Amino acid sequence: QVQLVESGGGSVQPGGSLRLSCEASGINFSRYLMGWYRQAPGKQRELVATINSAGSTNYADSVKGRFTISRDNAKNTVYLQMNSLKPEDTAVYYCRSQLWPASAWGQGTQVTVSS
C-alpha cells in the first residue's frame, strides 16, 4: 500500500523560507516521478514542481528561481525548498507519486505566508 507523508509546513513571514519533506513507502521510490502540487482556497490544485527518476526537474513559472525540488532515494524522500516566500504561495501543499498507470497523493501540509 502506497503511503506519502508530508511534513514541514507552517507559518512564515514574506521573504522567509520553509522546507517540505515527503516520505514515501510501499513503492519502488527511485523509479517514480515525484511532484509537489498546491491548492489555495477557492482555486484548483496546481503543479509546483516535479523531479523524475533521473533527477530532471520541472517548475511552475511562478516559483522558478525561488523553489528547489530534490530527492534522496536512499531515504525514499522528496523535498521542496521554498525561499523568498510570498503571500500568494499560501496553500495546502501535496506530494504526488507517479509511475504510469499508478498515482498516489499525500494528505497535504499547510503553508501560510503572512505578515
Side-chain angles (χ1 to χ4, degrees):
Q1 183 178 355
V2 180
Q3 190 171 15
L4 303 174
V5 180
E6 300 105 332
S7 61
S11 295
V12 65
Q13 293 186 341
S17 298
L18 284 174
R19 188 175 83 152
L20 306 183
S21 299
C22 171
E23 184 174 0
S25 59
I27 59 173
N28 188 344
F29 180 81
S30 63
R31 298 181 59 200
Y32 277 67
L33 173 70
M34 299 300 298
W36 287 97
Y37 292 72
R38 67 187 181 187
Q39 187 166 18
K43 295 188 176 182
Q44 289 188 330
R45 192 172 297 188
E46 64 177 4
L47 171 72
V48 176
T50 61
I51 183 167
N52 67 14
S53 58
S56 295
T57 58
N58 179 55
Y59 296 93
D61 287 343
S62 59
V63 306
K64 281 181 181 176
R66 300 188 298 122
F67 290 12
T68 302
I69 189 170
S70 61
R71 66 192 297 161
D72 185 338
N73 290 335
K75 295 183 178 180
N76 286 3
T77 301
V78 61
Y79 304 97
L80 186 68
Q81 178 66 44
M82 305 186 293
N83 298 329
S84 303
L85 282 160
K86 305 175 181 180
E88 51 263 44
D89 295 319
T90 295
V92 178
Y93 284 70
Y94 297 90
C95 176
R96 184 183 187 189
S97 66
Q98 293 175 266
L99 181 62
W100 191 90
S103 177
W105 293 89
Q107 82 287 352
T109 185
Q110 177 70 46
V111 171
T112 302
V113 185
S114 174
S115 56

